[in-house]
Amino acid sequence: MIASVFSKSRPFNYILVSSLLVLCYFIYQIQTVEVTSITSFSWLEGVQKSVILFLLVASLFITNFITKRNGLSKDNSFSALFFVSFLLFIPSAFDDFKIVLSSFFILLAMRRLISMKSLLTPKEKIFDASLWIFIAALFHFWSILFIFIVFVSIIFHVSGDYRNWVLPFIAFFTVGIIFIFFSLVINKEWLDVVWNQTGTDFEFYYLEKSASNAALVLYALFSIVFLISMLFTLSKRPIIMLASYKKVIFIFLISVLIYIVSPEKSNTLLLFGLMPASILATGFIEISRDTVLKEIVTGAVLAIGILLFIFQL
C-alpha cells in the first residue's frame, strides 16, 4: 500500500511527508517545552527552533531534488519518504541547531558535486562545494571530512586540469580568512569554539535511553542492508550513473566516519547520513521486483521511525 502510493512522484506525496515532518517536530517541541517549563522559553529560542524546522524541511526537498535531478531514482517519491522516516529515528535533531545547520550546508555541497557528471561549469561547482563544506565545518568541525568527496569528484570527472585541484584550497583560505577576521572583530571566543571541536572520541557510552540505543541499531541495520544491496547491484545500474552512485556510497561512509570520530556523540550526528541513506534505500526498492518485499520494507522503515519517535519523547 505505502510503496504503491509513493511509487509515483505526486505533489500529494510531498505534502504528506512534509506534513508528517512538521507534525512530529511540533509534537517534540511541545513535549520539550512542557519538560523545561515555558517560563524559561525565550524569543531567541523560538527563532532558533523556527530556523531548525525550515532547514529540515529544506533538507527534505534538497534531498529529493538531488535524487530526481541527477537521475538517482525513477519517477517516484521514495527518497522523500525514507528521508522523513529516518529523521524520525533521531528526534534529537529537532533541537540541535549546529548539527542541523552543518548538515544543511553539506547537502548544498553534495548537490553541486553529484551534478558534476554533466561536466557543466565544473570549476564553479568544485569551488562552491568546497566553500559550503568549510562553512559547515565551522558548526561541526568533522564535517570537513566531506572535502574528500570533492577530490573524488575531481578524479571521476575533471582530473586532467590541475586548476581543479587548487580550487578547494582557495575555498579553504577564503572561509578561513573571513572567519578569523570576523572572530577578531566581533568575538574572539569563536576561534576557541571551533578549535575545541577538533578533538576525537571513540567512546560510545552516551546512550542513556534504550529507545535511543534501538534507534541507532535499527538505523545501522537498515543502512547496512541498503548499502550492501547497492554494492551488489552497481553492475545493473546505467553506466552513466555509476560515478554518481559511487559518490553517494562515499558520502554515506564519510557520514559514518564523522559519527565515529566526533568528540560529542549523539544520534543527531546520523543526520549527515540521511541523504545518502535515503538514496540507497530508494535504490533498494527500485531494484527489487518483489512487490510484497517493497511494501514490507517501506512500511517497516516508516512504522519503526514513528514508533521510535514516540518512544524517545
Side-chain angles (χ1 to χ4, degrees):
M1 177 63 178
I2 296 176
S4 59
V5 170
F6 285 88
S7 62
K8 297 294 182 182
S9 182
R10 304 184 184 96
F12 173 76
N13 293 345
Y14 300 112
I15 294 173
L16 194 62
V17 293
S18 56
S19 298
L20 176 61
L21 193 163
V22 173
L23 175 63
C24 291
Y25 178 83
F26 279 111
I27 291 174
Y28 180 85
Q29 296 303 334
I30 290 171
Q31 185 270 344
T32 304
V33 170
E34 288 179 350
V35 170
T36 59
S37 174
I38 195 168
T39 56
S40 62
F41 190 79
S42 67
W43 69 269
L44 184 59
E45 288 178 301
V47 171
Q48 184 170 296
K49 290 179 184 297
S50 299
V51 172
I52 290 175
L53 176 59
F54 170 79
L55 292 177
L56 289 174
V57 174
S59 297
L60 164 64
F61 286 100
I62 291 174
T63 296
N64 183 69
F65 177 84
I66 292 172
T67 308
K68 300 291 288 299
R69 184 64 178 269
N70 296 286
L72 291 168
S73 76
K74 299 175 183 176
D75 187 24
N76 57 59
S77 46
F78 284 121
S79 61
L81 173 65
F82 283 118
F83 182 91
V84 173
S85 299
F86 283 132
L87 180 59
L88 296 182
F89 280 51
I90 47 173
S92 57
F94 293 155
D95 235 4
D96 198 322
F97 180 72
K98 287 185 176 181
I99 298 297
V100 170
L101 192 58
S102 181
S103 67
F104 177 74
F105 288 134
I106 292 299
L107 268 180
L108 295 179
M110 297 305 105
R111 181 183 71 86
R112 298 293 277 169
L113 294 176
I114 292 177
S115 67
M116 276 184 63
K117 68 181 180 64
S118 66
L119 297 181
L120 297 174
T121 61
K123 289 180 175 59
E124 288 84 347
K125 291 177 179 178
I126 292 169
F127 181 79
D128 290 349
S130 302
L131 203 68
W132 288 127
I133 291 169
F134 291 126
I135 292 174
L138 298 178
F139 298 95
H140 185 75
F141 175 77
W142 287 108
S143 61
I144 200 171
L145 292 176
F146 281 107
I147 200 66
F148 175 73
I149 305 298
V150 175
F151 293 106
V152 167
S153 299
I154 293 173
I155 292 171
F156 282 165
H157 304 293
V158 287
S159 59
D161 190 340
Y162 75 92
R163 290 172 295 182
N164 294 323
W165 296 91
V166 178
L167 290 172
F169 298 98
I170 296 176
F172 172 77
F173 285 112
T174 301
V175 174
I177 291 171
I178 294 174
F179 173 71
I180 292 173
F181 172 77
F182 279 100
S183 297
L184 295 176
V185 172
I186 300 174
N187 191 344
K188 294 181 181 179
E189 291 183 1
W190 290 357
L191 294 170
D192 293 330
V193 170
V194 174
W195 178 254
N196 290 336
Q197 297 178 18
T198 59
T200 58
D201 186 358
F202 298 97
E203 300 291 339
F204 296 90
Y205 300 115
Y206 70 92
L207 294 171
E208 298 177 355
K209 298 180 179 179
S210 57
S212 298
N213 198 357
L216 178 61
V217 172
L218 289 170
Y219 175 85
L221 288 175
F222 278 123
S223 299
I224 290 171
V225 170
F226 297 145
L227 176 62
I228 292 175
S229 172
M230 179 62 71
L231 290 172
F232 279 96
T233 59
L234 271 178
S235 60
K236 299 180 182 179
R237 313 283 176 177
I239 295 178
I240 194 173
M241 296 303 302
L242 289 182
S244 296
Y245 281 116
K246 288 177 182 178
K247 276 187 274 188
V248 169
I249 293 171
F250 280 124
I251 293 168
F252 177 77
L253 294 176
I254 289 178
S255 72
V256 174
L257 182 60
I258 289 173
Y259 173 83
I260 293 173
V261 302
S262 293
E264 297 181 2
K265 287 185 172 50
S266 72
N267 280 3
T268 309
L269 292 170
L270 301 177
L271 198 59
F272 289 108
L274 288 199
M275 182 272 285
S278 301
I279 295 175
L280 294 175
T282 300
F284 175 87
I285 295 298
E286 288 182 344
I287 206 71
S288 175
R289 297 181 180 180
D290 190 332
T291 305
V292 176
L293 179 62
K294 291 181 180 181
E295 295 289 352
I296 291 174
V297 172
T298 52
V301 174
L302 178 59
I304 291 173
I306 294 173
L307 288 174
L308 287 171
F309 171 78
I310 294 172
F311 290 145
Q312 292 180 83
L313 288 176

PDB file of all heavy atoms in Angstrom, residues 98 136-142 192-200 262-264:
ATOM      1  N   LYS A  98      23.243  23.512  15.614  1.00  0.00           N
ATOM      2  CA  LYS A  98      24.529  23.473  14.923  1.00  0.00           C
ATOM      3  C   LYS A  98      24.631  22.293  13.955  1.00  0.00           C
ATOM      4  O   LYS A  98      25.103  22.450  12.825  1.00  0.00           O
ATOM      5  CB  LYS A  98      25.674  23.430  15.929  1.00  0.00           C
ATOM      6  CG  LYS A  98      25.916  24.749  16.660  1.00  0.00           C
ATOM      7  CD  LYS A  98      27.146  24.670  17.540  1.00  0.00           C
ATOM      8  CE  LYS A  98      27.438  26.007  18.200  1.00  0.00           C
ATOM      9  NZ  LYS A  98      28.655  25.939  19.056  1.00  0.00           N
ATOM     10  N   ALA A 136      30.350  24.568   6.712  1.00  0.00           N
ATOM     11  CA  ALA A 136      29.727  23.545   7.578  1.00  0.00           C
ATOM     12  C   ALA A 136      30.663  23.162   8.711  1.00  0.00           C
ATOM     13  O   ALA A 136      30.215  22.911   9.845  1.00  0.00           O
ATOM     14  CB  ALA A 136      29.367  22.315   6.748  1.00  0.00           C
ATOM     15  N   ALA A 137      31.962  23.120   8.436  1.00  0.00           N
ATOM     16  CA  ALA A 137      32.938  22.722   9.451  1.00  0.00           C
ATOM     17  C   ALA A 137      33.022  23.726  10.596  1.00  0.00           C
ATOM     18  O   ALA A 137      33.472  23.379  11.703  1.00  0.00           O
ATOM     19  CB  ALA A 137      34.308  22.545   8.811  1.00  0.00           C
ATOM     20  N   LEU A 138      32.586  24.949  10.375  1.00  0.00           N
ATOM     21  CA  LEU A 138      32.578  25.945  11.446  1.00  0.00           C
ATOM     22  C   LEU A 138      31.544  25.598  12.516  1.00  0.00           C
ATOM     23  O   LEU A 138      31.669  26.013  13.673  1.00  0.00           O
ATOM     24  CB  LEU A 138      32.284  27.341  10.873  1.00  0.00           C
ATOM     25  CG  LEU A 138      33.305  27.894   9.867  1.00  0.00           C
ATOM     26  CD1 LEU A 138      32.845  29.257   9.365  1.00  0.00           C
ATOM     27  CD2 LEU A 138      34.697  27.990  10.486  1.00  0.00           C
ATOM     28  N   PHE A 139      30.519  24.834  12.129  1.00  0.00           N
ATOM     29  CA  PHE A 139      29.456  24.472  13.068  1.00  0.00           C
ATOM     30  C   PHE A 139      29.639  23.061  13.618  1.00  0.00           C
ATOM     31  O   PHE A 139      29.224  22.787  14.737  1.00  0.00           O
ATOM     32  CB  PHE A 139      28.094  24.602  12.373  1.00  0.00           C
ATOM     33  CG  PHE A 139      27.797  26.004  11.926  1.00  0.00           C
ATOM     34  CD1 PHE A 139      28.073  26.410  10.622  1.00  0.00           C
ATOM     35  CD2 PHE A 139      27.273  26.924  12.816  1.00  0.00           C
ATOM     36  CE1 PHE A 139      27.807  27.717  10.221  1.00  0.00           C
ATOM     37  CE2 PHE A 139      27.005  28.227  12.421  1.00  0.00           C
ATOM     38  CZ  PHE A 139      27.283  28.626  11.117  1.00  0.00           C
ATOM     39  N   HIS A 140      30.237  22.187  12.807  1.00  0.00           N
ATOM     40  CA  HIS A 140      30.660  20.878  13.309  1.00  0.00           C
ATOM     41  C   HIS A 140      31.947  20.525  12.572  1.00  0.00           C
ATOM     42  O   HIS A 140      31.920  20.176  11.387  1.00  0.00           O
ATOM     43  CB  HIS A 140      29.599  19.811  13.076  1.00  0.00           C
ATOM     44  CG  HIS A 140      29.982  18.498  13.689  1.00  0.00           C
ATOM     45  ND1 HIS A 140      29.912  18.262  15.057  1.00  0.00           N
ATOM     46  CD2 HIS A 140      30.478  17.357  13.146  1.00  0.00           C
ATOM     47  CE1 HIS A 140      30.327  17.047  15.316  1.00  0.00           C
ATOM     48  NE2 HIS A 140      30.687  16.472  14.188  1.00  0.00           N
ATOM     49  N   PHE A 141      33.053  20.610  13.285  1.00  0.00           N
ATOM     50  CA  PHE A 141      34.363  20.562  12.634  1.00  0.00           C
ATOM     51  C   PHE A 141      34.554  19.339  11.747  1.00  0.00           C
ATOM     52  O   PHE A 141      35.054  19.453  10.623  1.00  0.00           O
ATOM     53  CB  PHE A 141      35.478  20.602  13.685  1.00  0.00           C
ATOM     54  CG  PHE A 141      36.845  20.446  13.085  1.00  0.00           C
ATOM     55  CD1 PHE A 141      37.447  21.502  12.429  1.00  0.00           C
ATOM     56  CD2 PHE A 141      37.512  19.225  13.138  1.00  0.00           C
ATOM     57  CE1 PHE A 141      38.702  21.363  11.840  1.00  0.00           C
ATOM     58  CE2 PHE A 141      38.759  19.070  12.557  1.00  0.00           C
ATOM     59  CZ  PHE A 141      39.350  20.143  11.906  1.00  0.00           C
ATOM     60  N   TRP A 142      34.150  18.147  12.212  1.00  0.00           N
ATOM     61  CA  TRP A 142      34.483  16.935  11.479  1.00  0.00           C
ATOM     62  C   TRP A 142      33.688  16.754  10.195  1.00  0.00           C
ATOM     63  O   TRP A 142      33.969  15.836   9.422  1.00  0.00           O
ATOM     64  CB  TRP A 142      34.365  15.710  12.377  1.00  0.00           C
ATOM     65  CG  TRP A 142      35.496  15.650  13.357  1.00  0.00           C
ATOM     66  CD1 TRP A 142      35.451  15.886  14.689  1.00  0.00           C
ATOM     67  CD2 TRP A 142      36.867  15.404  13.040  1.00  0.00           C
ATOM     68  NE1 TRP A 142      36.697  15.789  15.244  1.00  0.00           N
ATOM     69  CE2 TRP A 142      37.598  15.488  14.250  1.00  0.00           C
ATOM     70  CE3 TRP A 142      37.565  15.129  11.856  1.00  0.00           C
ATOM     71  CZ2 TRP A 142      38.970  15.296  14.303  1.00  0.00           C
ATOM     72  CZ3 TRP A 142      38.935  14.927  11.912  1.00  0.00           C
ATOM     73  CH2 TRP A 142      39.620  15.008  13.131  1.00  0.00           C
ATOM     74  N   ASP A 192      37.964  29.700  19.699  1.00  0.00           N
ATOM     75  CA  ASP A 192      38.062  28.629  20.695  1.00  0.00           C
ATOM     76  C   ASP A 192      36.970  27.588  20.498  1.00  0.00           C
ATOM     77  O   ASP A 192      37.207  26.389  20.676  1.00  0.00           O
ATOM     78  CB  ASP A 192      37.961  29.214  22.108  1.00  0.00           C
ATOM     79  CG  ASP A 192      39.151  30.090  22.453  1.00  0.00           C
ATOM     80  OD1 ASP A 192      40.250  29.814  21.926  1.00  0.00           O
ATOM     81  OD2 ASP A 192      38.989  31.035  23.242  1.00  0.00           O
ATOM     82  N   VAL A 193      35.770  28.039  20.134  1.00  0.00           N
ATOM     83  CA  VAL A 193      34.650  27.116  19.925  1.00  0.00           C
ATOM     84  C   VAL A 193      34.973  26.126  18.813  1.00  0.00           C
ATOM     85  O   VAL A 193      34.761  24.915  18.942  1.00  0.00           O
ATOM     86  CB  VAL A 193      33.355  27.888  19.591  1.00  0.00           C
ATOM     87  CG1 VAL A 193      32.253  26.930  19.138  1.00  0.00           C
ATOM     88  CG2 VAL A 193      32.894  28.691  20.796  1.00  0.00           C
ATOM     89  N   VAL A 194      35.501  26.640  17.698  1.00  0.00           N
ATOM     90  CA  VAL A 194      35.856  25.763  16.573  1.00  0.00           C
ATOM     91  C   VAL A 194      37.027  24.864  16.951  1.00  0.00           C
ATOM     92  O   VAL A 194      37.024  23.667  16.662  1.00  0.00           O
ATOM     93  CB  VAL A 194      36.197  26.597  15.317  1.00  0.00           C
ATOM     94  CG1 VAL A 194      36.710  25.692  14.200  1.00  0.00           C
ATOM     95  CG2 VAL A 194      34.965  27.366  14.844  1.00  0.00           C
ATOM     96  N   TRP A 195      38.014  25.427  17.614  1.00  0.00           N
ATOM     97  CA  TRP A 195      39.202  24.634  17.986  1.00  0.00           C
ATOM     98  C   TRP A 195      38.844  23.500  18.932  1.00  0.00           C
ATOM     99  O   TRP A 195      39.388  22.397  18.834  1.00  0.00           O
ATOM    100  CB  TRP A 195      40.245  25.544  18.616  1.00  0.00           C
ATOM    101  CG  TRP A 195      41.473  24.810  19.077  1.00  0.00           C
ATOM    102  CD1 TRP A 195      41.831  24.509  20.355  1.00  0.00           C
ATOM    103  CD2 TRP A 195      42.489  24.242  18.243  1.00  0.00           C
ATOM    104  NE1 TRP A 195      43.009  23.802  20.388  1.00  0.00           N
ATOM    105  CE2 TRP A 195      43.437  23.626  19.096  1.00  0.00           C
ATOM    106  CE3 TRP A 195      42.699  24.216  16.872  1.00  0.00           C
ATOM    107  CZ2 TRP A 195      44.569  22.979  18.613  1.00  0.00           C
ATOM    108  CZ3 TRP A 195      43.832  23.565  16.384  1.00  0.00           C
ATOM    109  CH2 TRP A 195      44.739  22.960  17.248  1.00  0.00           C
ATOM    110  N   ASN A 196      37.920  23.738  19.841  1.00  0.00           N
ATOM    111  CA  ASN A 196      37.521  22.717  20.812  1.00  0.00           C
ATOM    112  C   ASN A 196      36.794  21.549  20.162  1.00  0.00           C
ATOM    113  O   ASN A 196      36.645  20.485  20.772  1.00  0.00           O
ATOM    114  CB  ASN A 196      36.626  23.334  21.893  1.00  0.00           C
ATOM    115  CG  ASN A 196      37.400  24.276  22.806  1.00  0.00           C
ATOM    116  OD1 ASN A 196      38.610  24.171  22.944  1.00  0.00           O
ATOM    117  ND2 ASN A 196      36.691  25.224  23.413  1.00  0.00           N
ATOM    118  N   GLN A 197      36.314  21.738  18.942  1.00  0.00           N
ATOM    119  CA  GLN A 197      35.617  20.662  18.235  1.00  0.00           C
ATOM    120  C   GLN A 197      36.568  19.726  17.499  1.00  0.00           C
ATOM    121  O   GLN A 197      36.140  18.707  16.963  1.00  0.00           O
ATOM    122  CB  GLN A 197      34.630  21.242  17.214  1.00  0.00           C
ATOM    123  CG  GLN A 197      33.502  22.066  17.815  1.00  0.00           C
ATOM    124  CD  GLN A 197      32.612  22.641  16.734  1.00  0.00           C
ATOM    125  OE1 GLN A 197      32.607  22.192  15.576  1.00  0.00           O
ATOM    126  NE2 GLN A 197      31.843  23.649  17.082  1.00  0.00           N
ATOM    127  N   THR A 198      37.850  20.077  17.462  1.00  0.00           N
ATOM    128  CA  THR A 198      38.787  19.326  16.635  1.00  0.00           C
ATOM    129  C   THR A 198      39.266  18.031  17.285  1.00  0.00           C
ATOM    130  O   THR A 198      39.982  17.254  16.659  1.00  0.00           O
ATOM    131  CB  THR A 198      40.019  20.187  16.303  1.00  0.00           C
ATOM    132  OG1 THR A 198      40.667  20.586  17.528  1.00  0.00           O
ATOM    133  CG2 THR A 198      39.612  21.434  15.528  1.00  0.00           C
ATOM    134  N   GLY A 199      38.875  17.798  18.516  1.00  0.00           N
ATOM    135  CA  GLY A 199      39.275  16.566  19.185  1.00  0.00           C
ATOM    136  C   GLY A 199      38.516  15.365  18.649  1.00  0.00           C
ATOM    137  O   GLY A 199      37.602  15.478  17.834  1.00  0.00           O
ATOM    138  N   THR A 200      38.904  14.194  19.107  1.00  0.00           N
ATOM    139  CA  THR A 200      38.214  12.957  18.722  1.00  0.00           C
ATOM    140  C   THR A 200      37.847  12.175  19.975  1.00  0.00           C
ATOM    141  O   THR A 200      38.439  12.367  21.040  1.00  0.00           O
ATOM    142  CB  THR A 200      39.101  12.068  17.822  1.00  0.00           C
ATOM    143  OG1 THR A 200      40.319  11.751  18.528  1.00  0.00           O
ATOM    144  CG2 THR A 200      39.427  12.777  16.519  1.00  0.00           C
ATOM    145  N   SER A 262      33.702  12.009  16.010  1.00  0.00           N
ATOM    146  CA  SER A 262      33.240  13.233  16.672  1.00  0.00           C
ATOM    147  C   SER A 262      33.338  13.103  18.186  1.00  0.00           C
ATOM    148  O   SER A 262      32.947  12.084  18.761  1.00  0.00           O
ATOM    149  CB  SER A 262      31.798  13.543  16.274  1.00  0.00           C
ATOM    150  OG  SER A 262      31.719  13.887  14.906  1.00  0.00           O
ATOM    151  N   PRO A 263      33.834  14.147  18.860  1.00  0.00           N
ATOM    152  CA  PRO A 263      34.033  14.063  20.316  1.00  0.00           C
ATOM    153  C   PRO A 263      32.727  14.088  21.109  1.00  0.00           C
ATOM    154  O   PRO A 263      32.617  13.424  22.128  1.00  0.00           O
ATOM    155  CB  PRO A 263      34.894  15.297  20.631  1.00  0.00           C
ATOM    156  CG  PRO A 263      34.611  16.249  19.508  1.00  0.00           C
ATOM    157  CD  PRO A 263      34.363  15.397  18.298  1.00  0.00           C
ATOM    158  N   GLU A 264      31.757  14.880  20.661  1.00  0.00           N
ATOM    159  CA  GLU A 264      30.470  14.968  21.356  1.00  0.00           C
ATOM    160  C   GLU A 264      29.449  14.131  20.602  1.00  0.00           C
ATOM    161  O   GLU A 264      28.783  14.607  19.683  1.00  0.00           O
ATOM    162  CB  GLU A 264      30.020  16.419  21.469  1.00  0.00           C
ATOM    163  CG  GLU A 264      30.962  17.275  22.300  1.00  0.00           C
ATOM    164  CD  GLU A 264      30.476  18.710  22.401  1.00  0.00           C
ATOM    165  OE1 GLU A 264      29.393  19.002  21.860  1.00  0.00           O
ATOM    166  OE2 GLU A 264      31.186  19.523  23.001  1.00  0.00           O
TER     167      GLU A 264
END
